Amino acid sequence: LFITSRGSNSIQRINIGQDRNASFTNSDVENLGNIGGILSGPEDIVFVFDNSTWYGIVANYSNNQLVLLDFGDSLAALEENISATTITIPAGVSLSSPSDLELEKIDNKYYLFIGNRGGAKVNRFIFDQTITADPDVANISIPGSSSPRSTSLIKDCDNWYLYVADEAFDKIYQLDFSSDLSSTPIITTIAASGDLLDNPFRIQLFRENGVFYGLVTTRQNLIKLEFG
C-alpha cells in the first residue's frame, strides 16, 4: 500500500503482507521521502507493470507535473534503488493542480486520465507500446465545470465511460467515448447540485451482479449512486 503526502512532499509504503484485512504497526510503515527530490505536493499515485518493470505515476499537485517512478522488478525496492523522472508535457497542454489519476491499458496503449482541481478540463495522456514513451496529450474541456477533481473509468459492453466529480459546482459528469478512448467524448451531466452532493472530491465506479454503482466522497458524506 502506497500513500502520498501532499503536505510533506513524500510517499509512504506500508507492508500489509498476504492478508489485506490484517492490521499493521508503525514498523510496517516506511517513509520513502521525496524520491529523486522532484515530488511537489504528490496527490495521487497509480502503478503499472510494463516490460518486467514496476512503475508508479505520481500527480504533482503543487507544480503541475507528472513524475514517473521506476521500482525495477519489485515494488519492495530499496528507496535508493527507485529512480524518478518527470513525464514530458507538450506545449499547449497544461495541468491545473492535478489531483486524480486513472490508468487503463488497451492492446498496446496506456490511457491515463487526470482530474484537475483547477480549470475546467481533464487531461488524457496516451502512451504507445510502453509507459516510458513520450505521450500524446490532450486537454478535454468540460463545459460548465470548474474543479473536475476526480475521475473514474468503466466499460459497459463495448463502450467506455469516464465519470468526473466537480468539487466546486457539485456535479457529476459522464464522458462517453463509445468504443475508442482516443475519441472526442460526448459529455452530459448526470447529477446536479443537491444537499448531499456537497463538494464531491472523489468518485469510484464499480459493477456488482450486473449493476453499476458509484461511490462519491464529499466534504460531509459518502454517497452511493446506482445506475441500474
Side-chain angles (χ1 to χ4, degrees):
L1 175 65
F2 290 78
I3 301 174
T4 57
S5 176
R6 196 172 86 190
S8 62
N9 295 326
S10 64
I11 294 176
Q12 283 76 44
R13 177 170 58 193
I14 303 175
N15 181 7
I16 58 177
Q18 300 295 321
D19 183 2
R20 290 183 297 175
N21 296 317
S23 59
F24 57 87
T25 64
N26 288 339
S27 62
D28 298 314
V29 181
E30 180 183 5
N31 185 5
L32 299 176
N34 190 339
I35 302 171
I38 59 175
L39 299 181
S40 180
E43 178 82 357
D44 196 14
I45 184 170
V46 292
F47 293 93
V48 61
F49 189 64
D50 180 32
N51 292 326
S52 302
T53 300
W54 279 104
Y55 295 97
I57 300 176
V58 181
N60 264 357
Y61 180 93
S62 299
N63 67 358
N64 299 321
Q65 290 183 341
L66 295 180
V67 174
L68 183 68
L69 304 178
D70 183 341
F71 288 82
D73 61 3
S74 174
L75 286 175
L78 297 175
E79 177 185 344
E80 58 268 26
N81 293 332
I82 306 171
S83 64
T85 56
T86 56
I87 294 176
T88 301
I89 301 177
V93 176
S94 62
L95 307 184
S96 302
S97 302
S99 300
D100 189 73
L101 303 175
E102 191 79 7
L103 182 65
E104 184 73 32
K105 183 180 183 182
I106 302 175
D107 297 327
N108 293 319
K109 293 185 178 181
Y110 293 95
Y111 296 83
L112 177 69
F113 291 90
I114 304 169
N116 295 279
R117 193 176 188 187
K121 65 181 182 300
V122 296
N123 303 101
R124 178 180 60 203
F125 283 55
I126 303 176
F127 303 85
D128 193 11
Q129 302 296 325
T130 175
I131 202 70
T132 59
D134 287 339
D136 178 22
V137 186
N139 295 326
I140 301 177
S141 297
I142 303 179
S145 70
S146 174
S147 182
R149 184 173 182 176
S150 182
T151 65
S152 185
L153 184 68
I154 199 164
K155 187 178 184 182
D156 182 17
C157 296
D158 292 328
N159 291 345
W160 287 98
Y161 300 92
L162 185 73
Y163 289 86
V164 180
D166 189 300
E167 182 181 22
F169 287 167
D170 303 339
K171 294 180 180 180
I172 306 296
Y173 296 95
Q174 176 187 274
L175 280 63
D176 181 353
F177 290 90
S178 188
S179 60
D180 183 5
L181 280 177
S182 64
S183 66
T184 300
I186 297 172
I187 302 174
T188 56
T189 304
I190 65 166
S193 181
D195 292 337
L196 291 178
L197 201 61
D198 182 20
N199 298 128
F201 63 91
R202 284 292 180 264
I203 184 170
Q204 183 64 53
L205 272 289
F206 62 96
R207 185 176 185 174
E208 183 179 40
N209 297 325
V211 178
F212 289 95
Y213 299 93
L215 291 179
V216 181
T217 305
T218 74
R219 293 297 177 186
Q220 306 294 332
N221 302 289
L222 177 63
I223 300 170
K224 182 177 77 173
L225 306 176
E226 182 174 338
F227 297 92

